[in-house]
Amino acid sequence: MRKNLLVRSIAAVSGVAMLAALGACGNNEPASGSSNAAGKSASSAEKISGEFQGAGASSQQSAVEAWIASYQAQNPDAKISYNPSGSGAGVSTFLTGATAWAGSDASLSDDEVQQSSKVCASGTAFDVPVYISPIAIVFNLKGVSGKDKHLNLDGETIAKIFDGKITKWNDDAIKQQNPKVDLPDTAITVVHRSDKSGTTKNFLSYVKDVAPDNWSYDLSENWPNEVGQGAKGTDGVINTVSQADGTIGYADASKAGDLGTVAVKVGEKYVPYSAEAAAKVVDASPLDDTAKGDNRVVVKLDHATKADGAYPVVLVSYDVVCPTYKDANTAKFVKSWLTYVISEDGQQVAADNAGSAPMSDTLRAKVTKSIDAIETK
């Protein structure tokens, strides 16, 4: 990822107040033809008007803000807001029928898919990837951390730090991997998400896959131990780490800013995060064939990859939508919105404003098939 792209722009749109709740029920016939071909911008589609709201993953926030601004420039009568309430809260809100879509860093559970039958007009909700980004392991350590500065750590050491088994920055396990760094005898303070978070689940999925002997907890969107201190949302973690010496946490890489970050050991090399390195893992990973429900596209990340130059601490963030909505205008918006978001134009907007990795044409083709299943009449 080009670090100079890690900037936030067009942030004003995220503060839009909560809009009218959008219900979801009723059966609709498929529209004639399919949604716009992937790669086309929203300007080539039927113009959308109305008020629409989404909620969910805070990791997507910078990208969603840019998407909204770009989409509304092409559809000036569409008023869109997004509440970065966190993946768990966003899905819960969607399952009440109060939002048109949810953003989530975790794929839907079987129970959530089943619950969605009460919200969707017919069928069940599905999730498709829209945002691919490395998860940065960020730290604040006087004299060591700073923008573009890295510490080398392997998966076992990362697991032990976040489980409270390594408590000092000059621990031998850290020193051996960073022989040229003057590490202080400073206590390590772990900072983790306090809310239900798909970023947590993605980060811990990496830890569990690469260091199973040092991470015994069940995988969840909730932080599993009593180590360190919690902070709400991506911004909460970044702010807490930024304010205190000796802290370490994890967050979407778009928010890493001037903090130090960890270069993760893959094979015999240490790899710093970048969009390109994250994309290598996603493209090499299969789809999860255990994901139940129609139209779902869920990536099963290969965290234990040995691929040269791959960065394995990655999140694939999804948009959760219904195949049918009570209100035909909501269905048209959702179909148009997703078509734009996953288009080459939309993915480049996210890359430019959030430093994310644009999805490959192969993955885009799979997502487009699911989007085409949304009924708009």
Side-chain angles (χ1 to χ4, degrees), residues 70-232:
S70 180
Y71 185 91
Q72 288 183 155
Q74 299 169 60
N75 296 272
D77 293 327
K79 307 303 178 186
I80 308 165
S81 67
Y82 182 76
N83 179 9
S85 55
S87 298
V91 172
S92 295
T93 302
F94 173 80
L95 291 174
T96 69
T99 52
W101 89 97
S104 178
D105 295 340
S107 59
L108 294 169
S109 67
D110 291 347
D111 183 56
E112 288 167 341
V113 172
Q114 186 176 6
Q115 288 180 52
S116 71
S117 65
K118 298 178 181 178
V119 176
C120 299
S122 62
T124 54
F126 62 90
D127 35 11
V128 291
V130 297
Y131 179 80
I132 298 165
S133 178
I135 297 172
I137 302 172
V138 295
F139 67 94
N140 182 5
L141 187 59
K142 187 176 181 180
V144 177
S145 61
K147 189 174 180 62
D148 297 331
K149 292 185 177 181
H150 309 291
L151 279 179
N152 296 332
L153 295 177
D154 58 21
E156 179 178 329
T157 304
I158 293 167
K160 288 180 178 179
I161 289 172
F162 281 88
D163 199 22
K165 295 171 183 171
I166 292 177
T167 60
K168 294 280 189 176
W169 280 103
N170 64 347
D171 186 278
D172 285 343
I174 302 176
K175 288 172 63 177
Q176 289 170 8
Q177 296 176 77
N178 299 275
K180 296 181 180 181
V181 180
D182 184 13
L183 292 163
D185 184 30
T186 302
I188 296 173
T189 300
V190 167
V191 181
H192 56 79
R193 289 283 288 270
S194 60
D195 52 327
K196 188 177 180 182
S197 163
T199 305
T200 293
K201 187 174 182 180
N202 278 272
F203 171 63
L204 295 184
S205 180
Y206 159 76
V207 172
K208 194 171 182 67
D209 285 350
V210 300
D213 293 339
N214 292 285
W215 195 265
S216 59
Y217 307 100
D218 292 336
L219 194 59
S220 170
E221 292 178 78
N222 296 308
W223 189 255
N225 62 31
E226 300 300 320
V227 175
Q229 63 185 86
K232 186 176 181 180

Side-chain angles (χ1 to χ4, degrees), residues 322-337:
C322 283
T324 54
Y325 290 82
K326 176 182 179 180
D327 179 60
N329 197 47
T330 301
K332 288 178 182 178
F333 161 72
V334 169
K335 195 166 191 173
S336 172
W337 170 256

Side-chain angles (χ1 to χ4, degrees), residues 238-252:
I238 292 295
N239 290 338
T240 303
V241 172
S242 299
Q243 290 169 7
D245 185 33
T247 48
I248 187 170
Y250 57 92
D252 183 84

